[in-house]
């Protein structure tokens, strides 16, 4: 069956360290994979999109990798700050790219 | 520029009652999407409008859910009659063009609790 998993429900790291979040999928063949940030009581906010033929994408302190062989994406936040604390969701395209399938999310807490 | 707005922010109703959720997309966005997140589960796609037409309603759970977008502006999602398992957060999103390369802007969600 099709499944998207994110490494853990919650992740705690110390301020200044690099946070690494994992998204694994089974029985999908996405052409695109996205990462979103969601704060409590708010809707998801788009962060980055990576295509299947891209190995890596960067935006400021964020870096995303996409390995279609491993069926995995890694999301890194370098020099993490308490303000980075939020739930991070991966999503991949489905149904010929017309809608998204979301993972369950990882709740990241950056401790001062 | 105003973002996507949703009304109400919270709704508590009894099983068997009717609830109507509203979404106002970003002005000029032809594409409007409904998603929901039930307790402990991931966000799931419900349907997609392009202007007033339903482009994809493959995620609608059953015929107790009715979505409309008359005039291609705001959209409503009606649940009638509501059941306990309908409890969750209902998100609306909009985008200028359709497709996964287009950024979807999400609203804050409506938290629905069915007792």
């Amino acid at each position: 069956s099709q499944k998207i998993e994110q490494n853990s429900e919650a992740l705690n790291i110390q301020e200044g360290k690099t946070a690494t979040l994992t998204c694994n999928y089974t029985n999908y063949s996405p052409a695109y994979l996205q990462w979103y940030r969601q704060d409590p009581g708010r809707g998801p906010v788009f962060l980055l999109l990576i295509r299947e033929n891209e190995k890596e994408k960067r935006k400021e302190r964020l870096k995303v990798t996409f390995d279609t062989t491993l069926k995995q994406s890694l999301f890194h936040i370098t020099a993490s700050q308490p303000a980075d604390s939020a739930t991070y969701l991966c999503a991949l395209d489905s149904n010929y790219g017309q809608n998204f399938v979301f993972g369950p999310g990882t709740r990241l807490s950056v401790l001062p | 520029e105003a973002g996507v707005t949703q009304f109400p922010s919270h709704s508590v109703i009894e099983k068997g009652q009717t609830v109507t959720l509203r979404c106002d997309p970003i002005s000029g966005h032809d594409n409007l999407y409904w998603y929901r997140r039930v307790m402990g589960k991931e966000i799931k796609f419900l349907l997609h409008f392009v202007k007033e037409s339903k482009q994809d309603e493959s995620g609608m759970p059953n015929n107790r859910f009715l979505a409309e977008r008359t005039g291609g502006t705001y959209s409503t999602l009606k649940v009638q009659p509501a059941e306990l398992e309908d409890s969750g957060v209902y998100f609306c999103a909009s985008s200028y063009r359709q497709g996964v390369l287009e950024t979807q802007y999400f609203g804050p969600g409506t938290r629905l609790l069915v007792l």
Side-chain angles (χ1 to χ4, degrees):
Chain A
S1 62
Q2 293 179 317
K3 198 189 306 183
I4 303 175
E5 293 176 312
Q6 293 192 237
N7 51 327
S8 55
E9 198 173 318
L11 180 66
N12 295 332
I13 64 163
Q14 211 63 39
E15 182 177 7
K17 302 290 186 186
T18 295
T20 298
L21 284 65
T22 304
C23 176
N24 293 291
Y25 56 92
T26 309
N27 292 327
Y28 285 105
S29 297
Y32 309 95
L33 192 144
Q34 300 188 336
W35 283 89
Y36 288 79
R37 168 183 174 141
Q38 186 175 17
D39 291 284
R42 314 287 284 268
V45 175
F46 170 79
L47 295 174
L48 281 167
L49 175 146
I50 187 165
R51 293 169 168 78
E52 62 176 338
N53 60 353
E54 295 177 316
K55 295 294 183 190
E56 183 180 297
K57 200 111 185 244
R58 291 176 185 261
K59 179 182 175 183
E60 297 171 353
R61 294 184 295 111
L62 308 180
K63 183 177 86 171
V64 172
T65 62
F66 191 9
D67 189 325
T68 55
T69 302
L70 292 178
K71 296 186 182 297
Q72 179 183 80
S73 175
L74 299 179
F75 177 80
H76 305 273
I77 306 175
T78 57
S80 60
Q81 304 164 1
D84 295 326
S85 298
T87 294
Y88 291 86
L89 307 162
C90 68
L92 46 89
D93 69 290
S94 176
N95 191 22
Y96 304 105
Q98 293 306 308
N99 61 58
F100 298 102
V101 182
F102 282 85
T106 295
R107 189 172 65 253
L108 174 69
S109 297
V110 181
L111 308 173
Chain B
E1 180 185 307
V4 176
T5 58
Q6 293 187 245
F7 182 83
S9 59
H10 295 79
S11 180
V12 181
I13 61 172
E14 291 188 352
K15 176 182 168 180
Q17 289 186 319
T18 297
V19 64
T20 300
L21 314 180
R22 174 172 168 144
C23 168
D24 286 77
I26 292 172
S27 178
H29 281 194
D30 287 341
N31 294 273
L32 188 149
Y33 307 81
W34 283 99
Y35 296 86
R36 78 170 177 178
R37 184 171 196 159
V38 297
M39 186 69 71
K41 304 274 189 162
E42 62 275 11
I43 296 172
K44 289 207 167 182
F45 167 82
L46 295 179
L47 86 160
H48 169 206
F49 282 100
V50 178
K51 296 185 181 178
E52 67 274 10
S53 300
K54 291 175 186 171
Q55 178 82 1
D56 179 358
E57 50 184 331
S58 61
M60 294 288 264
N62 51 62
N63 59 9
R64 295 185 293 104
F65 289 75
L66 175 64
E68 294 181 321
R69 194 183 180 196
T70 308
T73 54
Y74 71 90
S75 174
T76 58
L77 179 65
K78 182 161 73 173
V79 185
Q80 178 183 33
E83 297 289 344
L84 300 179
E85 64 264 25
D86 300 332
S87 297
V89 184
Y90 289 77
F91 292 104
C92 173
S94 73
S95 67
Y96 181 62
R97 282 184 288 263
Q98 62 181 310
V100 294
L101 296 181
E102 290 299 311
T103 299
Q104 291 190 15
Y105 297 88
F106 281 77
T110 293
R111 280 141 192 84
L112 174 65
L113 179 60
V114 183
L115 301 175

